[in-house]
PDB file of all heavy atoms in Angstrom:
ATOM      1  N   ASP A 190       0.878  -1.177   0.000  1.00 93.00           N
ATOM      2  CA  ASP A 190       0.000   0.000   0.000  1.00 93.00           C
ATOM      3  C   ASP A 190       0.909   1.218   0.000  1.00 93.00           C
ATOM      4  O   ASP A 190       1.504   1.560   1.020  1.00 93.00           O
ATOM      5  CB  ASP A 190      -0.878  -0.031   1.252  1.00 93.00           C
ATOM      6  CG  ASP A 190      -1.769   1.192   1.402  1.00 93.00           C
ATOM      7  OD1 ASP A 190      -1.591   2.181   0.653  1.00 93.00           O
ATOM      8  OD2 ASP A 190      -2.635   1.155   2.287  1.00 93.00           O
ATOM      9  N   TYR A 191       1.034   1.853  -1.155  1.00 91.00           N
ATOM     10  CA  TYR A 191       1.981   2.964  -1.273  1.00 91.00           C
ATOM     11  C   TYR A 191       1.449   4.272  -0.707  1.00 91.00           C
ATOM     12  O   TYR A 191       2.136   5.286  -0.750  1.00 91.00           O
ATOM     13  CB  TYR A 191       2.471   3.140  -2.712  1.00 91.00           C
ATOM     14  CG  TYR A 191       1.404   3.159  -3.765  1.00 91.00           C
ATOM     15  CD1 TYR A 191       0.612   4.266  -3.984  1.00 91.00           C
ATOM     16  CD2 TYR A 191       1.201   2.044  -4.568  1.00 91.00           C
ATOM     17  CE1 TYR A 191      -0.360   4.273  -4.962  1.00 91.00           C
ATOM     18  CE2 TYR A 191       0.246   2.042  -5.555  1.00 91.00           C
ATOM     19  CZ  TYR A 191      -0.531   3.157  -5.747  1.00 91.00           C
ATOM     20  OH  TYR A 191      -1.496   3.155  -6.723  1.00 91.00           O
ATOM     21  N   THR A 192       0.242   4.256  -0.109  1.00 90.00           N
ATOM     22  CA  THR A 192      -0.258   5.456   0.563  1.00 90.00           C
ATOM     23  C   THR A 192       0.095   5.434   2.058  1.00 90.00           C
ATOM     24  O   THR A 192      -0.204   6.377   2.767  1.00 90.00           O
ATOM     25  CB  THR A 192      -1.789   5.591   0.419  1.00 90.00           C
ATOM     26  OG1 THR A 192      -2.425   4.509   1.114  1.00 90.00           O
ATOM     27  CG2 THR A 192      -2.193   5.604  -1.044  1.00 90.00           C
ATOM     28  N   ARG A 193       0.688   4.350   2.491  1.00 91.00           N
ATOM     29  CA  ARG A 193       1.089   4.200   3.895  1.00 91.00           C
ATOM     30  C   ARG A 193       2.575   3.900   3.971  1.00 91.00           C
ATOM     31  O   ARG A 193       3.210   3.592   2.980  1.00 91.00           O
ATOM     32  CB  ARG A 193       0.319   3.052   4.548  1.00 91.00           C
ATOM     33  CG  ARG A 193      -1.158   3.301   4.589  1.00 91.00           C
ATOM     34  CD  ARG A 193      -1.856   2.099   5.165  1.00 91.00           C
ATOM     35  NE  ARG A 193      -3.293   2.284   5.062  1.00 91.00           N
ATOM     36  CZ  ARG A 193      -4.093   2.346   6.102  1.00 91.00           C
ATOM     37  NH1 ARG A 193      -3.616   2.243   7.313  1.00 91.00           N
ATOM     38  NH2 ARG A 193      -5.374   2.510   5.933  1.00 91.00           N
ATOM     39  N   GLN A 194       3.088   3.905   5.159  1.00 91.00           N
ATOM     40  CA  GLN A 194       4.488   3.560   5.384  1.00 91.00           C
ATOM     41  C   GLN A 194       4.668   2.075   5.057  1.00 91.00           C
ATOM     42  O   GLN A 194       3.954   1.241   5.593  1.00 91.00           O
ATOM     43  CB  GLN A 194       4.861   3.859   6.836  1.00 91.00           C
ATOM     44  CG  GLN A 194       6.261   3.504   7.213  1.00 91.00           C
ATOM     45  CD  GLN A 194       7.321   4.131   6.330  1.00 91.00           C
ATOM     46  OE1 GLN A 194       7.931   3.433   5.546  1.00 91.00           O
ATOM     47  NE2 GLN A 194       7.518   5.425   6.448  1.00 91.00           N
ATOM     48  N   TYR A 195       5.599   1.753   4.189  1.00 93.00           N
ATOM     49  CA  TYR A 195       5.796   0.348   3.831  1.00 93.00           C
ATOM     50  C   TYR A 195       7.264  -0.089   3.833  1.00 93.00           C
ATOM     51  O   TYR A 195       7.569  -1.253   3.567  1.00 93.00           O
ATOM     52  CB  TYR A 195       5.163   0.032   2.472  1.00 93.00           C
ATOM     53  CG  TYR A 195       5.761   0.769   1.292  1.00 93.00           C
ATOM     54  CD1 TYR A 195       6.869   0.255   0.614  1.00 93.00           C
ATOM     55  CD2 TYR A 195       5.214   1.963   0.835  1.00 93.00           C
ATOM     56  CE1 TYR A 195       7.408   0.914  -0.480  1.00 93.00           C
ATOM     57  CE2 TYR A 195       5.746   2.624  -0.252  1.00 93.00           C
ATOM     58  CZ  TYR A 195       6.836   2.095  -0.913  1.00 93.00           C
ATOM     59  OH  TYR A 195       7.364   2.747  -1.994  1.00 93.00           O
ATOM     60  N   GLU A 196       8.164   0.789   4.157  1.00 95.00           N
ATOM     61  CA  GLU A 196       9.582   0.443   4.086  1.00 95.00           C
ATOM     62  C   GLU A 196       9.935  -0.752   4.966  1.00 95.00           C
ATOM     63  O   GLU A 196      10.595  -1.699   4.503  1.00 95.00           O
ATOM     64  CB  GLU A 196      10.464   1.635   4.449  1.00 95.00           C
ATOM     65  CG  GLU A 196      11.936   1.304   4.332  1.00 95.00           C
ATOM     66  CD  GLU A 196      12.856   2.500   4.553  1.00 95.00           C
ATOM     67  OE1 GLU A 196      12.369   3.638   4.738  1.00 95.00           O
ATOM     68  OE2 GLU A 196      14.086   2.282   4.526  1.00 95.00           O
ATOM     69  N   HIS A 197       9.506  -0.750   6.218  1.00 93.00           N
ATOM     70  CA  HIS A 197       9.852  -1.835   7.135  1.00 93.00           C
ATOM     71  C   HIS A 197       9.326  -3.180   6.618  1.00 93.00           C
ATOM     72  O   HIS A 197      10.056  -4.184   6.592  1.00 93.00           O
ATOM     73  CB  HIS A 197       9.296  -1.553   8.539  1.00 93.00           C
ATOM     74  CG  HIS A 197       9.468  -2.680   9.491  1.00 93.00           C
ATOM     75  ND1 HIS A 197      10.701  -3.041  10.005  1.00 93.00           N
ATOM     76  CD2 HIS A 197       8.571  -3.572   9.999  1.00 93.00           C
ATOM     77  CE1 HIS A 197      10.551  -4.095  10.792  1.00 93.00           C
ATOM     78  NE2 HIS A 197       9.276  -4.427  10.810  1.00 93.00           N
ATOM     79  N   VAL A 198       8.071  -3.209   6.206  1.00 93.00           N
ATOM     80  CA  VAL A 198       7.455  -4.441   5.694  1.00 93.00           C
ATOM     81  C   VAL A 198       8.182  -4.907   4.440  1.00 93.00           C
ATOM     82  O   VAL A 198       8.520  -6.086   4.303  1.00 93.00           O
ATOM     83  CB  VAL A 198       5.954  -4.209   5.391  1.00 93.00           C
ATOM     84  CG1 VAL A 198       5.367  -5.366   4.612  1.00 93.00           C
ATOM     85  CG2 VAL A 198       5.191  -3.966   6.672  1.00 93.00           C
ATOM     86  N   CYS A 199       8.450  -4.001   3.547  1.00 95.00           N
ATOM     87  CA  CYS A 199       9.111  -4.330   2.291  1.00 95.00           C
ATOM     88  C   CYS A 199      10.510  -4.896   2.536  1.00 95.00           C
ATOM     89  O   CYS A 199      10.881  -5.943   1.976  1.00 95.00           O
ATOM     90  CB  CYS A 199       9.167  -3.091   1.410  1.00 95.00           C
ATOM     91  SG  CYS A 199       9.738  -3.420  -0.267  1.00 95.00           S
ATOM     92  N   ARG A 200      11.277  -4.232   3.363  1.00 95.00           N
ATOM     93  CA  ARG A 200      12.636  -4.715   3.661  1.00 95.00           C
ATOM     94  C   ARG A 200      12.601  -6.108   4.315  1.00 95.00           C
ATOM     95  O   ARG A 200      13.424  -6.965   4.021  1.00 95.00           O
ATOM     96  CB  ARG A 200      13.370  -3.726   4.561  1.00 95.00           C
ATOM     97  CG  ARG A 200      13.806  -2.454   3.836  1.00 95.00           C
ATOM     98  CD  ARG A 200      14.657  -1.571   4.745  1.00 95.00           C
ATOM     99  NE  ARG A 200      14.967  -0.301   4.136  1.00 95.00           N
ATOM    100  CZ  ARG A 200      15.952  -0.103   3.272  1.00 95.00           C
ATOM    101  NH1 ARG A 200      16.719  -1.116   2.902  1.00 95.00           N
ATOM    102  NH2 ARG A 200      16.174   1.098   2.760  1.00 95.00           N
ATOM    103  N   ALA A 201      11.636  -6.326   5.200  1.00 94.00           N
ATOM    104  CA  ALA A 201      11.533  -7.615   5.881  1.00 94.00           C
ATOM    105  C   ALA A 201      11.154  -8.729   4.903  1.00 94.00           C
ATOM    106  O   ALA A 201      11.703  -9.837   4.972  1.00 94.00           O
ATOM    107  CB  ALA A 201      10.513  -7.520   7.010  1.00 94.00           C
ATOM    108  N   ILE A 202      10.240  -8.455   3.994  1.00 95.00           N
ATOM    109  CA  ILE A 202       9.855  -9.464   3.001  1.00 95.00           C
ATOM    110  C   ILE A 202      11.029  -9.767   2.071  1.00 95.00           C
ATOM    111  O   ILE A 202      11.294 -10.930   1.756  1.00 95.00           O
ATOM    112  CB  ILE A 202       8.607  -9.019   2.210  1.00 95.00           C
ATOM    113  CG1 ILE A 202       7.384  -9.030   3.133  1.00 95.00           C
ATOM    114  CG2 ILE A 202       8.381  -9.923   0.992  1.00 95.00           C
ATOM    115  CD1 ILE A 202       6.129  -8.429   2.530  1.00 95.00           C
ATOM    116  N   ILE A 203      11.768  -8.760   1.671  1.00 96.00           N
ATOM    117  CA  ILE A 203      12.948  -8.963   0.827  1.00 96.00           C
ATOM    118  C   ILE A 203      13.955  -9.858   1.549  1.00 96.00           C
ATOM    119  O   ILE A 203      14.468 -10.822   0.974  1.00 96.00           O
ATOM    120  CB  ILE A 203      13.596  -7.622   0.446  1.00 96.00           C
ATOM    121  CG1 ILE A 203      12.703  -6.856  -0.511  1.00 96.00           C
ATOM    122  CG2 ILE A 203      14.988  -7.835  -0.163  1.00 96.00           C
ATOM    123  CD1 ILE A 203      13.097  -5.396  -0.692  1.00 96.00           C
ATOM    124  N   GLU A 204      14.234  -9.545   2.804  1.00 95.00           N
ATOM    125  CA  GLU A 204      15.188 -10.340   3.576  1.00 95.00           C
ATOM    126  C   GLU A 204      14.704 -11.785   3.702  1.00 95.00           C
ATOM    127  O   GLU A 204      15.483 -12.731   3.541  1.00 95.00           O
ATOM    128  CB  GLU A 204      15.395  -9.726   4.958  1.00 95.00           C
ATOM    129  CG  GLU A 204      16.408 -10.476   5.785  1.00 95.00           C
ATOM    130  CD  GLU A 204      16.649  -9.822   7.142  1.00 95.00           C
ATOM    131  OE1 GLU A 204      16.259  -8.659   7.351  1.00 95.00           O
ATOM    132  OE2 GLU A 204      17.221 -10.511   8.001  1.00 95.00           O
ATOM    133  N   PHE A 205      13.427 -11.963   3.985  1.00 95.00           N
ATOM    134  CA  PHE A 205      12.852 -13.302   4.095  1.00 95.00           C
ATOM    135  C   PHE A 205      13.043 -14.068   2.787  1.00 95.00           C
ATOM    136  O   PHE A 205      13.473 -15.222   2.794  1.00 95.00           O
ATOM    137  CB  PHE A 205      11.358 -13.198   4.445  1.00 95.00           C
ATOM    138  CG  PHE A 205      10.659 -14.521   4.533  1.00 95.00           C
ATOM    139  CD1 PHE A 205      10.677 -15.240   5.705  1.00 95.00           C
ATOM    140  CD2 PHE A 205       9.986 -15.044   3.435  1.00 95.00           C
ATOM    141  CE1 PHE A 205      10.033 -16.474   5.798  1.00 95.00           C
ATOM    142  CE2 PHE A 205       9.344 -16.265   3.509  1.00 95.00           C
ATOM    143  CZ  PHE A 205       9.372 -16.981   4.695  1.00 95.00           C
ATOM    144  N   CYS A 206      12.749 -13.428   1.671  1.00 96.00           N
ATOM    145  CA  CYS A 206      12.881 -14.077   0.364  1.00 96.00           C
ATOM    146  C   CYS A 206      14.335 -14.458   0.068  1.00 96.00           C
ATOM    147  O   CYS A 206      14.600 -15.554  -0.430  1.00 96.00           O
ATOM    148  CB  CYS A 206      12.337 -13.178  -0.743  1.00 96.00           C
ATOM    149  SG  CYS A 206      10.538 -13.035  -0.718  1.00 96.00           S
ATOM    150  N   ILE A 207      15.251 -13.586   0.377  1.00 96.00           N
ATOM    151  CA  ILE A 207      16.674 -13.883   0.161  1.00 96.00           C
ATOM    152  C   ILE A 207      17.077 -15.097   0.996  1.00 96.00           C
ATOM    153  O   ILE A 207      17.700 -16.032   0.488  1.00 96.00           O
ATOM    154  CB  ILE A 207      17.552 -12.658   0.488  1.00 96.00           C
ATOM    155  CG1 ILE A 207      17.331 -11.552  -0.552  1.00 96.00           C
ATOM    156  CG2 ILE A 207      19.026 -13.054   0.548  1.00 96.00           C
ATOM    157  CD1 ILE A 207      17.945 -10.214  -0.178  1.00 96.00           C
ATOM    158  N   LEU A 208      16.705 -15.094   2.271  1.00 95.00           N
ATOM    159  CA  LEU A 208      17.082 -16.187   3.171  1.00 95.00           C
ATOM    160  C   LEU A 208      16.452 -17.520   2.780  1.00 95.00           C
ATOM    161  O   LEU A 208      17.047 -18.578   2.993  1.00 95.00           O
ATOM    162  CB  LEU A 208      16.703 -15.852   4.613  1.00 95.00           C
ATOM    163  CG  LEU A 208      17.493 -14.723   5.263  1.00 95.00           C
ATOM    164  CD1 LEU A 208      16.897 -14.356   6.622  1.00 95.00           C
ATOM    165  CD2 LEU A 208      18.964 -15.113   5.411  1.00 95.00           C
ATOM    166  N   LYS A 209      15.262 -17.479   2.186  1.00 95.00           N
ATOM    167  CA  LYS A 209      14.543 -18.705   1.837  1.00 95.00           C
ATOM    168  C   LYS A 209      14.733 -19.103   0.370  1.00 95.00           C
ATOM    169  O   LYS A 209      14.114 -20.059  -0.099  1.00 95.00           O
ATOM    170  CB  LYS A 209      13.041 -18.554   2.127  1.00 95.00           C
ATOM    171  CG  LYS A 209      12.717 -18.228   3.574  1.00 95.00           C
ATOM    172  CD  LYS A 209      13.168 -19.314   4.519  1.00 95.00           C
ATOM    173  CE  LYS A 209      12.794 -18.978   5.952  1.00 95.00           C
ATOM    174  NZ  LYS A 209      13.280 -19.931   6.909  1.00 95.00           N
ATOM    175  N   GLY A 210      15.575 -18.381  -0.377  1.00 96.00           N
ATOM    176  CA  GLY A 210      15.848 -18.750  -1.766  1.00 96.00           C
ATOM    177  C   GLY A 210      14.690 -18.485  -2.707  1.00 96.00           C
ATOM    178  O   GLY A 210      14.379 -19.302  -3.573  1.00 96.00           O
ATOM    179  N   MET A 211      14.061 -17.337  -2.557  1.00 96.00           N
ATOM    180  CA  MET A 211      12.913 -16.972  -3.385  1.00 96.00           C
ATOM    181  C   MET A 211      13.210 -15.717  -4.187  1.00 96.00           C
ATOM    182  O   MET A 211      14.097 -14.948  -3.833  1.00 96.00           O
ATOM    183  CB  MET A 211      11.686 -16.766  -2.504  1.00 96.00           C
ATOM    184  CG  MET A 211      11.294 -18.016  -1.776  1.00 96.00           C
ATOM    185  SD  MET A 211       9.889 -17.731  -0.710  1.00 96.00           S
ATOM    186  CE  MET A 211       9.865 -19.273   0.165  1.00 96.00           C
ATOM    187  N   VAL A 212      12.452 -15.546  -5.252  1.00 96.00           N
ATOM    188  CA  VAL A 212      12.552 -14.335  -6.060  1.00 96.00           C
ATOM    189  C   VAL A 212      11.205 -13.632  -6.056  1.00 96.00           C
ATOM    190  O   VAL A 212      10.164 -14.244  -5.844  1.00 96.00           O
ATOM    191  CB  VAL A 212      13.004 -14.626  -7.518  1.00 96.00           C
ATOM    192  CG1 VAL A 212      14.409 -15.165  -7.558  1.00 96.00           C
ATOM    193  CG2 VAL A 212      12.042 -15.543  -8.236  1.00 96.00           C
ATOM    194  N   VAL A 213      11.255 -12.335  -6.291  1.00 96.00           N
ATOM    195  CA  VAL A 213      10.063 -11.506  -6.336  1.00 96.00           C
ATOM    196  C   VAL A 213       9.854 -11.075  -7.786  1.00 96.00           C
ATOM    197  O   VAL A 213      10.784 -10.634  -8.453  1.00 96.00           O
ATOM    198  CB  VAL A 213      10.227 -10.265  -5.422  1.00 96.00           C
ATOM    199  CG1 VAL A 213       9.054  -9.318  -5.572  1.00 96.00           C
ATOM    200  CG2 VAL A 213      10.406 -10.695  -3.971  1.00 96.00           C
ATOM    201  N   LEU A 214       8.612 -11.224  -8.257  1.00 94.00           N
ATOM    202  CA  LEU A 214       8.248 -10.812  -9.608  1.00 94.00           C
ATOM    203  C   LEU A 214       7.304  -9.625  -9.531  1.00 94.00           C
ATOM    204  O   LEU A 214       6.402  -9.590  -8.690  1.00 94.00           O
ATOM    205  CB  LEU A 214       7.553 -11.961 -10.356  1.00 94.00           C
ATOM    206  CG  LEU A 214       8.285 -13.295 -10.402  1.00 94.00           C
ATOM    207  CD1 LEU A 214       7.424 -14.344 -11.102  1.00 94.00           C
ATOM    208  CD2 LEU A 214       9.624 -13.154 -11.087  1.00 94.00           C
ATOM    209  N   ASP A 215       7.501  -8.666 -10.424  1.00 92.00           N
ATOM    210  CA  ASP A 215       6.616  -7.505 -10.446  1.00 92.00           C
ATOM    211  C   ASP A 215       5.345  -7.832 -11.231  1.00 92.00           C
ATOM    212  O   ASP A 215       5.130  -8.978 -11.643  1.00 92.00           O
ATOM    213  CB  ASP A 215       7.338  -6.274 -10.992  1.00 92.00           C
ATOM    214  CG  ASP A 215       7.740  -6.393 -12.460  1.00 92.00           C
ATOM    215  OD1 ASP A 215       7.266  -7.308 -13.175  1.00 92.00           O
ATOM    216  OD2 ASP A 215       8.548  -5.563 -12.904  1.00 92.00           O
ATOM    217  N   GLU A 216       4.516  -6.833 -11.475  1.00 88.00           N
ATOM    218  CA  GLU A 216       3.258  -7.055 -12.178  1.00 88.00           C
ATOM    219  C   GLU A 216       3.450  -7.382 -13.654  1.00 88.00           C
ATOM    220  O   GLU A 216       2.527  -7.849 -14.313  1.00 88.00           O
ATOM    221  CB  GLU A 216       2.323  -5.860 -11.984  1.00 88.00           C
ATOM    222  CG  GLU A 216       1.842  -5.779 -10.540  1.00 88.00           C
ATOM    223  CD  GLU A 216       0.881  -4.645 -10.273  1.00 88.00           C
ATOM    224  OE1 GLU A 216       0.696  -3.767 -11.141  1.00 88.00           O
ATOM    225  OE2 GLU A 216       0.311  -4.628  -9.166  1.00 88.00           O
ATOM    226  N   LYS A 217       4.657  -7.163 -14.165  1.00 87.00           N
ATOM    227  CA  LYS A 217       4.983  -7.557 -15.542  1.00 87.00           C
ATOM    228  C   LYS A 217       5.672  -8.922 -15.563  1.00 87.00           C
ATOM    229  O   LYS A 217       6.146  -9.363 -16.594  1.00 87.00           O
ATOM    230  CB  LYS A 217       5.886  -6.505 -16.183  1.00 87.00           C
ATOM    231  CG  LYS A 217       5.198  -5.166 -16.352  1.00 87.00           C
ATOM    232  CD  LYS A 217       6.147  -4.137 -16.910  1.00 87.00           C
ATOM    233  CE  LYS A 217       5.461  -2.788 -16.964  1.00 87.00           C
ATOM    234  NZ  LYS A 217       6.403  -1.712 -17.303  1.00 87.00           N
ATOM    235  N   LEU A 218       5.741  -9.558 -14.399  1.00 86.00           N
ATOM    236  CA  LEU A 218       6.332 -10.881 -14.201  1.00 86.00           C
ATOM    237  C   LEU A 218       7.825 -10.906 -14.480  1.00 86.00           C
ATOM    238  O   LEU A 218       8.378 -11.911 -14.926  1.00 86.00           O
ATOM    239  CB  LEU A 218       5.599 -11.937 -15.031  1.00 86.00           C
ATOM    240  CG  LEU A 218       4.090 -12.019 -14.763  1.00 86.00           C
ATOM    241  CD1 LEU A 218       3.447 -13.047 -15.659  1.00 86.00           C
ATOM    242  CD2 LEU A 218       3.820 -12.313 -13.293  1.00 86.00           C
ATOM    243  N   GLU A 219       8.476  -9.803 -14.173  1.00 89.00           N
ATOM    244  CA  GLU A 219       9.930  -9.711 -14.284  1.00 89.00           C
ATOM    245  C   GLU A 219      10.526  -9.737 -12.881  1.00 89.00           C
ATOM    246  O   GLU A 219       9.943  -9.216 -11.936  1.00 89.00           O
ATOM    247  CB  GLU A 219      10.315  -8.421 -15.005  1.00 89.00           C
ATOM    248  CG  GLU A 219       9.817  -8.384 -16.445  1.00 89.00           C
ATOM    249  CD  GLU A 219      10.070  -7.059 -17.137  1.00 89.00           C
ATOM    250  OE1 GLU A 219      10.641  -6.136 -16.514  1.00 89.00           O
ATOM    251  OE2 GLU A 219       9.680  -6.939 -18.300  1.00 89.00           O
ATOM    252  N   ILE A 220      11.706 -10.349 -12.776  1.00 92.00           N
ATOM    253  CA  ILE A 220      12.369 -10.405 -11.471  1.00 92.00           C
ATOM    254  C   ILE A 220      12.717  -8.998 -11.014  1.00 92.00           C
ATOM    255  O   ILE A 220      13.231  -8.187 -11.780  1.00 92.00           O
ATOM    256  CB  ILE A 220      13.638 -11.275 -11.526  1.00 92.00           C
ATOM    257  CG1 ILE A 220      13.256 -12.739 -11.655  1.00 92.00           C
ATOM    258  CG2 ILE A 220      14.479 -11.078 -10.281  1.00 92.00           C
ATOM    259  CD1 ILE A 220      14.425 -13.688 -11.606  1.00 92.00           C
ATOM    260  N   VAL A 221      12.421  -8.737  -9.751  1.00 95.00           N
ATOM    261  CA  VAL A 221      12.697  -7.448  -9.134  1.00 95.00           C
ATOM    262  C   VAL A 221      14.017  -7.551  -8.369  1.00 95.00           C
ATOM    263  O   VAL A 221      14.225  -8.512  -7.641  1.00 95.00           O
ATOM    264  CB  VAL A 221      11.554  -7.077  -8.154  1.00 95.00           C
ATOM    265  CG1 VAL A 221      11.848  -5.792  -7.424  1.00 95.00           C
ATOM    266  CG2 VAL A 221      10.226  -6.999  -8.885  1.00 95.00           C
ATOM    267  N   PRO A 222      14.901  -6.578  -8.536  1.00 96.00           N
ATOM    268  CA  PRO A 222      16.117  -6.595  -7.699  1.00 96.00           C
ATOM    269  C   PRO A 222      15.716  -6.598  -6.228  1.00 96.00           C
ATOM    270  O   PRO A 222      14.766  -5.934  -5.823  1.00 96.00           O
ATOM    271  CB  PRO A 222      16.825  -5.282  -8.072  1.00 96.00           C
ATOM    272  CG  PRO A 222      16.306  -4.959  -9.440  1.00 96.00           C
ATOM    273  CD  PRO A 222      14.881  -5.445  -9.461  1.00 96.00           C
ATOM    274  N   MET A 223      16.436  -7.360  -5.445  1.00 96.00           N
ATOM    275  CA  MET A 223      16.085  -7.538  -4.038  1.00 96.00           C
ATOM    276  C   MET A 223      16.604  -6.387  -3.185  1.00 96.00           C
ATOM    277  O   MET A 223      17.488  -6.554  -2.340  1.00 96.00           O
ATOM    278  CB  MET A 223      16.619  -8.868  -3.532  1.00 96.00           C
ATOM    279  CG  MET A 223      16.008 -10.059  -4.246  1.00 96.00           C
ATOM    280  SD  MET A 223      14.245 -10.172  -4.010  1.00 96.00           S
ATOM    281  CE  MET A 223      14.168 -11.658  -3.071  1.00 96.00           C
ATOM    282  N   SER A 224      16.018  -5.208  -3.404  1.00 96.00           N
ATOM    283  CA  SER A 224      16.351  -4.049  -2.579  1.00 96.00           C
ATOM    284  C   SER A 224      15.109  -3.175  -2.439  1.00 96.00           C
ATOM    285  O   SER A 224      14.295  -3.075  -3.361  1.00 96.00           O
ATOM    286  CB  SER A 224      17.495  -3.241  -3.195  1.00 96.00           C
ATOM    287  OG  SER A 224      17.046  -2.452  -4.264  1.00 96.00           O
ATOM    288  N   TYR A 225      15.007  -2.554  -1.291  1.00 97.00           N
ATOM    289  CA  TYR A 225      13.886  -1.654  -1.038  1.00 97.00           C
ATOM    290  C   TYR A 225      13.867  -0.518  -2.060  1.00 97.00           C
ATOM    291  O   TYR A 225      12.812  -0.155  -2.584  1.00 97.00           O
ATOM    292  CB  TYR A 225      13.961  -1.097   0.387  1.00 97.00           C
ATOM    293  CG  TYR A 225      13.027   0.067   0.592  1.00 97.00           C
ATOM    294  CD1 TYR A 225      11.651  -0.152   0.688  1.00 97.00           C
ATOM    295  CD2 TYR A 225      13.498   1.371   0.667  1.00 97.00           C
ATOM    296  CE1 TYR A 225      10.776   0.907   0.846  1.00 97.00           C
ATOM    297  CE2 TYR A 225      12.620   2.433   0.837  1.00 97.00           C
ATOM    298  CZ  TYR A 225      11.266   2.197   0.925  1.00 97.00           C
ATOM    299  OH  TYR A 225      10.404   3.248   1.073  1.00 97.00           O
ATOM    300  N   GLU A 226      15.029   0.034  -2.359  1.00 97.00           N
ATOM    301  CA  GLU A 226      15.115   1.163  -3.283  1.00 97.00           C
ATOM    302  C   GLU A 226      14.581   0.790  -4.662  1.00 97.00           C
ATOM    303  O   GLU A 226      13.884   1.578  -5.304  1.00 97.00           O
ATOM    304  CB  GLU A 226      16.551   1.668  -3.371  1.00 97.00           C
ATOM    305  CG  GLU A 226      17.066   2.331  -2.097  1.00 97.00           C
ATOM    306  CD  GLU A 226      17.414   1.356  -0.965  1.00 97.00           C
ATOM    307  OE1 GLU A 226      17.571   0.133  -1.219  1.00 97.00           O
ATOM    308  OE2 GLU A 226      17.515   1.829   0.180  1.00 97.00           O
ATOM    309  N   ALA A 227      14.895  -0.433  -5.136  1.00 96.00           N
ATOM    310  CA  ALA A 227      14.417  -0.881  -6.446  1.00 96.00           C
ATOM    311  C   ALA A 227      12.897  -1.043  -6.441  1.00 96.00           C
ATOM    312  O   ALA A 227      12.219  -0.639  -7.391  1.00 96.00           O
ATOM    313  CB  ALA A 227      15.091  -2.191  -6.837  1.00 96.00           C
ATOM    314  N   ILE A 228      12.375  -1.608  -5.367  1.00 96.00           N
ATOM    315  CA  ILE A 228      10.921  -1.802  -5.281  1.00 96.00           C
ATOM    316  C   ILE A 228      10.215  -0.456  -5.161  1.00 96.00           C
ATOM    317  O   ILE A 228       9.199  -0.209  -5.816  1.00 96.00           O
ATOM    318  CB  ILE A 228      10.564  -2.752  -4.129  1.00 96.00           C
ATOM    319  CG1 ILE A 228      10.986  -4.174  -4.526  1.00 96.00           C
ATOM    320  CG2 ILE A 228       9.090  -2.671  -3.764  1.00 96.00           C
ATOM    321  CD1 ILE A 228      10.744  -5.228  -3.485  1.00 96.00           C
TER     322      ILE A 228
END
């Protein structure tokens, strides 16, 4: 929800995905770099 504070949640999900060997795909189904700034 980009109308609210989301940095903490976003960073935590990224860290979780890195630790568990997962990738994040955007709405165009492309891999997203695993950083808060990129997201």
Side-chain angles (χ1 to χ4, degrees):
D190 176 350
Y191 48 77
T192 65
R193 297 177 186 242
Q194 178 55 252
Y195 63 87
E196 182 174 356
H197 173 71
V198 169
C199 189
R200 287 186 186 278
I202 291 172
I203 291 167
E204 182 178 345
F205 178 86
C206 289
I207 291 169
L208 292 172
K209 302 298 182 184
M211 298 178 189
V212 295
V213 174
L214 307 176
D215 66 13
E216 291 182 350
K217 295 177 184 171
L218 304 178
E219 296 174 0
I220 288 185
V221 176
M223 297 298 246
S224 77
Y225 167 73
E226 292 75 17
I228 288 178

